[in-house]
Amino acid sequence: MKYYLEKIETNTKLPAKIYIGTEQEGDGDYPLHWHQHLEFDLVLEGAIIGRVNGRPVEVGAGDFLFVNSGELHETKRKYRDRMRTVTILLSSALLKEYCPDVEGSSFDFTGNREASEQVKELMLLCAKLQEEQGPFYELELSIALRKLCLILLRDCRVLCESLPYSRYEQESRRNVKRAIAFLEEHYEQDLSLARTASEIGMAPTYFSRFFKKTTGETYHSYLTSIRLYHAHKDLLNRDASITDIALANGFANVKAFIEAFKKGYHATPAQYRKDHHGGRR
């Protein structure tokens, strides 16, 4: 799954993806990315920390994180030992059916407690319907999702022209998206800062400062997080050796991979695989 621009497939009946995640499944940690869908992350247990458009966020149990279409965001679990969430990725095309000029809008729940409570109730209903999958559950889900759209359009819509983003901030986001796209496409390779800077059309020193200022982390730290994200998925879903996984995902050697993995997951790759997949080697 490409997280620089996540392409979310939905079926013809449901204009959304619904995930019910737990820490045992390794959910919750996603490097900086964006997608065209609107994202709702309701925390049932634990807490989410992260950033949306460079702004730090923390969401505890009983609350939800909302991300507008196209916004740069990343999330991590605050606590490794417990995490339960409900995530809904809602198609922006559904909103456009009822509001053709929705692309000129953003949505904001700030100070709107009633709308927030309604959204949480709908998310819990969607999770219940998704899990039980009773007769006509897709129809019930479709109705609940359209109620979610109604709340967004009626109670939370803000015209983009009224948002406090300067032309420089908008251009910065476009450039950092280009950089992230390039890193995601080529993370398996030996990617120097100079090579990526050249791709974006910036001098290496300027690009280094720009990337840190815009994303909140260094170029090399972010590149490692992309490699680690994909290596983690391979570790749980492939039978390849630890060395093969390290090299296939751009790490210079297995030692570098183990050090990065221990820092991110507080265990060696071998121990993590054993704990999560019953000793698969």
Side-chain angles (χ1 to χ4, degrees):
M1 187 177 291
K2 300 293 189 181
Y3 274 83
Y4 62 91
L5 172 55
E6 186 183 359
K7 297 178 180 177
I8 301 161
E9 300 294 335
T10 57
N11 64 38
T12 56
K13 294 182 180 179
L14 292 176
K17 278 287 187 181
I18 301 171
Y19 302 98
I20 303 166
T22 66
E23 63 87 15
Q24 287 86 0
E25 296 165 345
D27 294 332
D29 292 3
Y30 300 104
L32 199 64
H33 65 288
W34 80 93
H35 40 67
Q36 296 301 327
H37 284 55
L38 295 90
E39 180 171 336
F40 300 80
D41 297 303
L42 175 61
V43 180
L44 304 178
E45 184 179 4
I48 289 174
I49 56 176
R51 282 172 294 178
V52 178
N53 280 343
R55 174 177 54 87
V57 295
E58 181 170 337
V59 180
D63 206 351
F64 68 91
L65 172 68
F66 173 73
V67 182
N68 277 289
S69 174
E71 288 187 326
L72 284 164
H73 60 288
E74 61 179 325
T75 58
K76 295 180 182 179
R77 291 166 290 169
K78 187 174 183 180
Y79 309 110
R80 287 281 168 190
D81 58 341
R82 63 184 191 277
M83 186 71 181
R84 286 196 305 127
T85 58
V86 174
T87 295
I88 295 179
L89 299 171
L90 180 67
S91 172
S92 56
L94 179 60
L95 289 166
K96 198 167 185 178
E97 287 182 22
Y98 303 99
C99 181
D101 61 344
V102 72
E103 292 178 355
S105 304
S106 185
F107 302 96
D108 186 5
F109 287 88
T110 304
N112 196 333
R113 184 172 181 178
E114 182 178 356
S116 296
E117 292 301 318
Q118 290 173 346
V119 164
K120 285 188 276 188
E121 290 178 7
L122 285 169
M123 292 186 71
L124 290 172
L125 173 61
C126 287
K128 181 175 182 290
L129 294 170
Q130 177 77 8
E131 283 192 310
E132 295 178 353
Q133 295 195 11
F136 310 111
Y137 84 96
E138 290 176 320
L139 176 57
E140 288 188 273
L141 269 174
S142 180
I143 294 169
L145 292 170
R146 281 166 170 78
K147 287 182 178 179
L148 200 56
C149 288
L150 176 61
I151 294 169
L152 288 170
L153 293 171
R154 183 188 61 197
D155 303 325
C156 305
R157 187 181 177 200
V158 180
L159 294 180
C160 288
E161 61 188 27
S162 64
L163 295 175
Y165 298 139
S166 68
R167 185 173 299 177
Y168 171 78
E169 289 174 313
Q170 295 177 41
E171 182 64 23
S172 293
R173 289 198 190 96
R174 283 192 289 268
N175 283 331
V176 83
K177 284 180 177 180
R178 289 175 58 209
I180 290 170
F182 181 74
L183 292 176
E184 177 66 41
E185 290 287 356
H186 303 282
Y187 69 89
E188 306 101 325
Q189 303 173 17
D190 181 14
L191 280 182
S192 67
L193 184 148
R195 180 183 172 190
T196 305
S198 175
E199 183 71 20
I200 306 305
M202 296 181 183
T205 302
Y206 178 83
F207 173 75
S208 179
R209 292 196 301 267
F210 158 79
F211 194 89
K212 176 68 184 298
K213 180 180 179 180
T214 308
T215 68
E217 61 184 300
T218 67
Y219 168 82
H220 291 291
S221 173
Y222 180 70
L223 178 56
T224 297
S225 71
I226 286 183
R227 289 169 170 165
L228 193 59
Y229 174 82
H230 289 285
H232 172 260
K233 295 297 183 186
D234 285 349
L235 189 71
L236 296 182
N237 297 299
R238 294 179 55 204
D239 289 320
S241 70
I242 302 298
T243 298
D244 286 346
I245 288 174
L247 299 180
N249 286 284
F251 289 94
N253 50 59
V254 70
K255 181 181 177 181
F257 172 49
I258 291 173
E259 289 179 353
F261 197 92
K262 285 174 67 177
K263 184 177 180 180
Y265 293 94
H266 308 290
T268 65
Q271 185 61 49
Y272 189 91
R273 174 183 269 177
K274 181 179 179 181
D275 291 344
H276 286 75
H277 278 280
R280 180 191 285 179
R281 298 287 179 186

mmCIF file of all heavy atoms in Angstrom, residues 30-62:
data_model
loop_
_atom_site.group_PDB
_atom_site.id
_atom_site.type_symbol
_atom_site.label_atom_id
_atom_site.label_comp_id
_atom_site.label_asym_id
_atom_site.label_seq_id
_atom_site.Cartn_x
_atom_site.Cartn_y
_atom_site.Cartn_z
ATOM 1 N N TYR A 30 1.701 5.031 11.106
ATOM 2 C CA TYR A 30 1.759 5.300 9.677
ATOM 3 C C TYR A 30 2.661 6.501 9.426
ATOM 4 O O TYR A 30 2.448 7.568 9.998
ATOM 5 C CB TYR A 30 0.360 5.579 9.108
ATOM 6 C CG TYR A 30 -0.593 4.432 9.297
ATOM 7 C CD1 TYR A 30 -1.588 4.478 10.267
ATOM 8 C CD2 TYR A 30 -0.490 3.292 8.513
ATOM 9 C CE1 TYR A 30 -2.460 3.422 10.460
ATOM 10 C CE2 TYR A 30 -1.361 2.225 8.697
ATOM 11 C CZ TYR A 30 -2.333 2.296 9.668
ATOM 12 O OH TYR A 30 -3.193 1.244 9.854
ATOM 13 N N PRO A 31 3.653 6.370 8.556
ATOM 14 C CA PRO A 31 4.503 7.521 8.213
ATOM 15 C C PRO A 31 3.689 8.613 7.536
ATOM 16 O O PRO A 31 2.543 8.410 7.142
ATOM 17 C CB PRO A 31 5.533 6.918 7.232
ATOM 18 C CG PRO A 31 5.439 5.445 7.393
ATOM 19 C CD PRO A 31 4.037 5.157 7.818
ATOM 20 N N LEU A 32 4.293 9.757 7.376
ATOM 21 C CA LEU A 32 3.641 10.899 6.751
ATOM 22 C C LEU A 32 3.102 10.509 5.372
ATOM 23 O O LEU A 32 3.818 9.959 4.541
ATOM 24 C CB LEU A 32 4.653 12.038 6.615
ATOM 25 C CG LEU A 32 4.111 13.447 6.410
ATOM 26 C CD1 LEU A 32 3.302 13.898 7.617
ATOM 27 C CD2 LEU A 32 5.262 14.406 6.161
ATOM 28 N N HIS A 33 1.813 10.807 5.135
ATOM 29 C CA HIS A 33 1.169 10.426 3.886
ATOM 30 C C HIS A 33 -0.073 11.286 3.687
ATOM 31 O O HIS A 33 -0.403 12.136 4.502
ATOM 32 C CB HIS A 33 0.781 8.937 3.902
ATOM 33 C CG HIS A 33 -0.261 8.587 4.926
ATOM 34 N ND1 HIS A 33 -0.008 8.555 6.278
ATOM 35 C CD2 HIS A 33 -1.576 8.268 4.797
ATOM 36 C CE1 HIS A 33 -1.109 8.226 6.930
ATOM 37 N NE2 HIS A 33 -2.080 8.054 6.060
ATOM 38 N N TRP A 34 -0.772 11.056 2.602
ATOM 39 C CA TRP A 34 -2.055 11.715 2.361
ATOM 40 C C TRP A 34 -2.885 10.854 1.440
ATOM 41 O O TRP A 34 -2.394 9.917 0.802
ATOM 42 C CB TRP A 34 -1.873 13.123 1.792
ATOM 43 C CG TRP A 34 -1.591 13.203 0.322
ATOM 44 C CD1 TRP A 34 -2.495 13.352 -0.681
ATOM 45 C CD2 TRP A 34 -0.315 13.143 -0.319
ATOM 46 N NE1 TRP A 34 -1.865 13.399 -1.899
ATOM 47 C CE2 TRP A 34 -0.527 13.274 -1.702
ATOM 48 C CE3 TRP A 34 0.992 13.006 0.149
ATOM 49 C CZ2 TRP A 34 0.517 13.253 -2.625
ATOM 50 C CZ3 TRP A 34 2.041 12.985 -0.762
ATOM 51 C CH2 TRP A 34 1.789 13.113 -2.126
ATOM 52 N N HIS A 35 -4.160 11.158 1.362
ATOM 53 C CA HIS A 35 -5.072 10.477 0.439
ATOM 54 C C HIS A 35 -6.245 11.397 0.169
ATOM 55 O O HIS A 35 -6.452 12.401 0.868
ATOM 56 C CB HIS A 35 -5.543 9.131 0.998
ATOM 57 C CG HIS A 35 -5.852 9.145 2.459
ATOM 58 N ND1 HIS A 35 -6.899 9.853 3.009
ATOM 59 C CD2 HIS A 35 -5.227 8.553 3.514
ATOM 60 C CE1 HIS A 35 -6.933 9.678 4.308
ATOM 61 N NE2 HIS A 35 -5.922 8.911 4.651
ATOM 62 N N GLN A 36 -7.019 11.057 -0.832
ATOM 63 C CA GLN A 36 -8.153 11.890 -1.206
ATOM 64 C C GLN A 36 -9.369 11.655 -0.310
ATOM 65 O O GLN A 36 -10.284 12.473 -0.266
ATOM 66 C CB GLN A 36 -8.536 11.629 -2.673
ATOM 67 C CG GLN A 36 -7.459 12.008 -3.674
ATOM 68 C CD GLN A 36 -7.073 13.476 -3.588
ATOM 69 O OE1 GLN A 36 -7.903 14.322 -3.290
ATOM 70 N NE2 GLN A 36 -5.817 13.778 -3.847
ATOM 71 N N HIS A 37 -9.387 10.538 0.413
ATOM 72 C CA HIS A 37 -10.499 10.265 1.314
ATOM 73 C C HIS A 37 -10.411 11.127 2.567
ATOM 74 O O HIS A 37 -9.345 11.612 2.937
ATOM 75 C CB HIS A 37 -10.483 8.793 1.724
ATOM 76 C CG HIS A 37 -10.966 7.868 0.659
ATOM 77 N ND1 HIS A 37 -10.434 7.842 -0.608
ATOM 78 C CD2 HIS A 37 -11.935 6.915 0.675
ATOM 79 C CE1 HIS A 37 -11.057 6.910 -1.331
ATOM 80 N NE2 HIS A 37 -11.970 6.347 -0.575
ATOM 81 N N LEU A 38 -11.539 11.319 3.227
ATOM 82 C CA LEU A 38 -11.563 11.964 4.527
ATOM 83 C C LEU A 38 -11.406 10.870 5.585
ATOM 84 O O LEU A 38 -12.012 9.794 5.473
ATOM 85 C CB LEU A 38 -12.879 12.715 4.752
ATOM 86 C CG LEU A 38 -13.127 13.908 3.820
ATOM 87 C CD1 LEU A 38 -13.878 13.472 2.563
ATOM 88 C CD2 LEU A 38 -13.905 14.996 4.530
ATOM 89 N N GLU A 39 -10.603 11.128 6.586
ATOM 90 C CA GLU A 39 -10.266 10.094 7.561
ATOM 91 C C GLU A 39 -10.804 10.441 8.945
ATOM 92 O O GLU A 39 -10.638 11.552 9.446
ATOM 93 C CB GLU A 39 -8.748 9.908 7.628
ATOM 94 C CG GLU A 39 -8.309 8.853 8.622
ATOM 95 C CD GLU A 39 -6.828 8.529 8.523
ATOM 96 O OE1 GLU A 39 -6.231 8.759 7.444
ATOM 97 O OE2 GLU A 39 -6.268 8.037 9.520
ATOM 98 N N PHE A 40 -11.456 9.441 9.552
ATOM 99 C CA PHE A 40 -11.930 9.539 10.933
ATOM 100 C C PHE A 40 -11.282 8.395 11.716
ATOM 101 O O PHE A 40 -11.449 7.235 11.343
ATOM 102 C CB PHE A 40 -13.442 9.378 11.030
ATOM 103 C CG PHE A 40 -14.249 10.401 10.269
ATOM 104 C CD1 PHE A 40 -14.446 10.284 8.900
ATOM 105 C CD2 PHE A 40 -14.846 11.465 10.936
ATOM 106 C CE1 PHE A 40 -15.224 11.210 8.203
ATOM 107 C CE2 PHE A 40 -15.616 12.397 10.248
ATOM 108 C CZ PHE A 40 -15.801 12.276 8.884
ATOM 109 N N ASP A 41 -10.590 8.704 12.808
ATOM 110 C CA ASP A 41 -9.971 7.683 13.657
ATOM 111 C C ASP A 41 -10.520 7.823 15.072
ATOM 112 O O ASP A 41 -10.133 8.733 15.818
ATOM 113 C CB ASP A 41 -8.450 7.837 13.688
ATOM 114 C CG ASP A 41 -7.811 7.641 12.328
ATOM 115 O OD1 ASP A 41 -8.018 6.572 11.743
ATOM 116 O OD2 ASP A 41 -7.119 8.561 11.850
ATOM 117 N N LEU A 42 -11.434 6.939 15.442
ATOM 118 C CA LEU A 42 -12.023 6.966 16.775
ATOM 119 C C LEU A 42 -11.226 6.043 17.687
ATOM 120 O O LEU A 42 -11.072 4.851 17.409
ATOM 121 C CB LEU A 42 -13.487 6.510 16.713
ATOM 122 C CG LEU A 42 -14.219 6.362 18.049
ATOM 123 C CD1 LEU A 42 -14.282 7.698 18.795
ATOM 124 C CD2 LEU A 42 -15.618 5.793 17.823
ATOM 125 N N VAL A 43 -10.709 6.588 18.774
ATOM 126 C CA VAL A 43 -9.904 5.810 19.721
ATOM 127 C C VAL A 43 -10.816 5.211 20.779
ATOM 128 O O VAL A 43 -11.500 5.941 21.510
ATOM 129 C CB VAL A 43 -8.822 6.689 20.386
ATOM 130 C CG1 VAL A 43 -8.003 5.854 21.362
ATOM 131 C CG2 VAL A 43 -7.928 7.318 19.330
ATOM 132 N N LEU A 44 -10.839 3.887 20.866
ATOM 133 C CA LEU A 44 -11.628 3.190 21.875
ATOM 134 C C LEU A 44 -10.798 2.902 23.123
ATOM 135 O O LEU A 44 -11.301 2.924 24.239
ATOM 136 C CB LEU A 44 -12.178 1.883 21.305
ATOM 137 C CG LEU A 44 -13.015 2.005 20.031
ATOM 138 C CD1 LEU A 44 -13.459 0.627 19.560
ATOM 139 C CD2 LEU A 44 -14.217 2.902 20.251
ATOM 140 N N GLU A 45 -9.525 2.625 22.912
ATOM 141 C CA GLU A 45 -8.610 2.360 24.014
ATOM 142 C C GLU A 45 -7.210 2.779 23.592
ATOM 143 O O GLU A 45 -6.822 2.603 22.445
ATOM 144 C CB GLU A 45 -8.619 0.871 24.378
ATOM 145 C CG GLU A 45 -7.758 0.537 25.571
ATOM 146 C CD GLU A 45 -7.789 -0.940 25.928
ATOM 147 O OE1 GLU A 45 -8.436 -1.715 25.185
ATOM 148 O OE2 GLU A 45 -7.170 -1.319 26.939
ATOM 149 N N GLY A 46 -6.447 3.367 24.518
ATOM 150 C CA GLY A 46 -5.109 3.845 24.192
ATOM 151 C C GLY A 46 -5.139 5.304 23.773
ATOM 152 O O GLY A 46 -5.996 6.073 24.192
ATOM 153 N N ALA A 47 -4.208 5.677 22.912
ATOM 154 C CA ALA A 47 -4.139 7.061 22.440
ATOM 155 C C ALA A 47 -3.343 7.119 21.148
ATOM 156 O O ALA A 47 -2.440 6.302 20.910
ATOM 157 C CB ALA A 47 -3.498 7.971 23.489
ATOM 158 N N ILE A 48 -3.698 8.073 20.296
ATOM 159 C CA ILE A 48 -2.990 8.344 19.051
ATOM 160 C C ILE A 48 -2.238 9.663 19.206
ATOM 161 O O ILE A 48 -2.777 10.643 19.717
ATOM 162 C CB ILE A 48 -3.966 8.468 17.863
ATOM 163 C CG1 ILE A 48 -4.557 7.102 17.492
ATOM 164 C CG2 ILE A 48 -3.263 9.061 16.635
ATOM 165 C CD1 ILE A 48 -5.635 7.197 16.424
ATOM 166 N N ILE A 49 -0.983 9.678 18.789
ATOM 167 C CA ILE A 49 -0.240 10.922 18.670
ATOM 168 C C ILE A 49 0.219 11.052 17.229
ATOM 169 O O ILE A 49 0.348 10.056 16.519
ATOM 170 C CB ILE A 49 0.973 10.980 19.623
ATOM 171 C CG1 ILE A 49 1.907 9.776 19.397
ATOM 172 C CG2 ILE A 49 0.523 11.057 21.068
ATOM 173 C CD1 ILE A 49 3.177 9.827 20.235
ATOM 174 N N GLY A 50 0.439 12.272 16.781
ATOM 175 C CA GLY A 50 0.884 12.448 15.411
ATOM 176 C C GLY A 50 0.885 13.902 15.017
ATOM 177 O O GLY A 50 0.937 14.801 15.862
ATOM 178 N N ARG A 51 0.787 14.138 13.706
ATOM 179 C CA ARG A 51 0.765 15.484 13.165
ATOM 180 C C ARG A 51 -0.162 15.536 11.954
ATOM 181 O O ARG A 51 -0.218 14.584 11.182
ATOM 182 C CB ARG A 51 2.174 15.934 12.751
ATOM 183 C CG ARG A 51 3.058 16.369 13.901
ATOM 184 C CD ARG A 51 4.470 16.600 13.457
ATOM 185 N NE ARG A 51 5.102 15.356 13.036
ATOM 186 C CZ ARG A 51 6.341 15.274 12.560
ATOM 187 N NH1 ARG A 51 7.051 16.353 12.427
ATOM 188 N NH2 ARG A 51 6.853 14.121 12.216
ATOM 189 N N VAL A 52 -0.844 16.662 11.814
ATOM 190 C CA VAL A 52 -1.672 16.935 10.641
ATOM 191 C C VAL A 52 -1.240 18.287 10.101
ATOM 192 O O VAL A 52 -1.338 19.296 10.796
ATOM 193 C CB VAL A 52 -3.172 16.955 10.988
ATOM 194 C CG1 VAL A 52 -3.997 17.284 9.747
ATOM 195 C CG2 VAL A 52 -3.608 15.618 11.582
ATOM 196 N N ASN A 53 -0.719 18.274 8.856
ATOM 197 C CA ASN A 53 -0.169 19.499 8.260
ATOM 198 C C ASN A 53 0.839 20.181 9.187
ATOM 199 O O ASN A 53 0.859 21.403 9.338
ATOM 200 C CB ASN A 53 -1.288 20.477 7.903
ATOM 201 C CG ASN A 53 -1.960 20.115 6.590
ATOM 202 O OD1 ASN A 53 -1.424 19.341 5.797
ATOM 203 N ND2 ASN A 53 -3.134 20.653 6.356
ATOM 204 N N GLY A 54 1.677 19.356 9.838
ATOM 205 C CA GLY A 54 2.719 19.877 10.708
ATOM 206 C C GLY A 54 2.259 20.223 12.106
ATOM 207 O O GLY A 54 3.082 20.559 12.966
ATOM 208 N N ARG A 55 0.959 20.153 12.373
ATOM 209 C CA ARG A 55 0.430 20.499 13.695
ATOM 210 C C ARG A 55 0.356 19.251 14.572
ATOM 211 O O ARG A 55 -0.272 18.271 14.213
ATOM 212 C CB ARG A 55 -0.970 21.103 13.533
ATOM 213 C CG ARG A 55 -1.706 21.379 14.831
ATOM 214 C CD ARG A 55 -3.048 22.041 14.548
ATOM 215 N NE ARG A 55 -3.855 21.272 13.616
ATOM 216 C CZ ARG A 55 -4.682 20.292 13.971
ATOM 217 N NH1 ARG A 55 -4.775 19.945 15.247
ATOM 218 N NH2 ARG A 55 -5.400 19.667 13.058
ATOM 219 N N PRO A 56 0.997 19.278 15.764
ATOM 220 C CA PRO A 56 0.946 18.118 16.656
ATOM 221 C C PRO A 56 -0.481 17.845 17.125
ATOM 222 O O PRO A 56 -1.247 18.772 17.406
ATOM 223 C CB PRO A 56 1.832 18.537 17.840
ATOM 224 C CG PRO A 56 2.659 19.664 17.338
ATOM 225 C CD PRO A 56 1.817 20.378 16.321
ATOM 226 N N VAL A 57 -0.836 16.569 17.191
ATOM 227 C CA VAL A 57 -2.160 16.180 17.681
ATOM 228 C C VAL A 57 -2.011 15.014 18.649
ATOM 229 O O VAL A 57 -1.081 14.209 18.532
ATOM 230 C CB VAL A 57 -3.114 15.776 16.534
ATOM 231 C CG1 VAL A 57 -3.423 16.954 15.633
ATOM 232 C CG2 VAL A 57 -2.533 14.617 15.718
ATOM 233 N N GLU A 58 -2.902 14.941 19.598
ATOM 234 C CA GLU A 58 -2.993 13.792 20.497
ATOM 235 C C GLU A 58 -4.460 13.532 20.775
ATOM 236 O O GLU A 58 -5.196 14.439 21.155
ATOM 237 C CB GLU A 58 -2.242 14.036 21.802
ATOM 238 C CG GLU A 58 -2.314 12.847 22.745
ATOM 239 C CD GLU A 58 -1.392 12.946 23.951
ATOM 240 O OE1 GLU A 58 -0.387 13.695 23.875
ATOM 241 O OE2 GLU A 58 -1.670 12.272 24.967
ATOM 242 N N VAL A 59 -4.883 12.289 20.568
ATOM 243 C CA VAL A 59 -6.294 11.925 20.718
ATOM 244 C C VAL A 59 -6.381 10.729 21.654
ATOM 245 O O VAL A 59 -5.774 9.688 21.398
ATOM 246 C CB VAL A 59 -6.920 11.578 19.349
ATOM 247 C CG1 VAL A 59 -8.385 11.194 19.520
ATOM 248 C CG2 VAL A 59 -6.796 12.758 18.394
ATOM 249 N N GLY A 60 -7.139 10.887 22.727
ATOM 250 C CA GLY A 60 -7.295 9.820 23.695
ATOM 251 C C GLY A 60 -8.583 9.045 23.504
ATOM 252 O O GLY A 60 -9.390 9.343 22.616
ATOM 253 N N ALA A 61 -8.777 8.054 24.367
ATOM 254 C CA ALA A 61 -9.960 7.201 24.286
ATOM 255 C C ALA A 61 -11.235 8.031 24.398
ATOM 256 O O ALA A 61 -11.343 8.937 25.225
ATOM 257 C CB ALA A 61 -9.911 6.151 25.394
ATOM 258 N N GLY A 62 -12.196 7.741 23.541
ATOM 259 C CA GLY A 62 -13.465 8.443 23.540
ATOM 260 C C GLY A 62 -13.513 9.636 22.612
ATOM 261 O O GLY A 62 -14.542 10.305 22.502
#
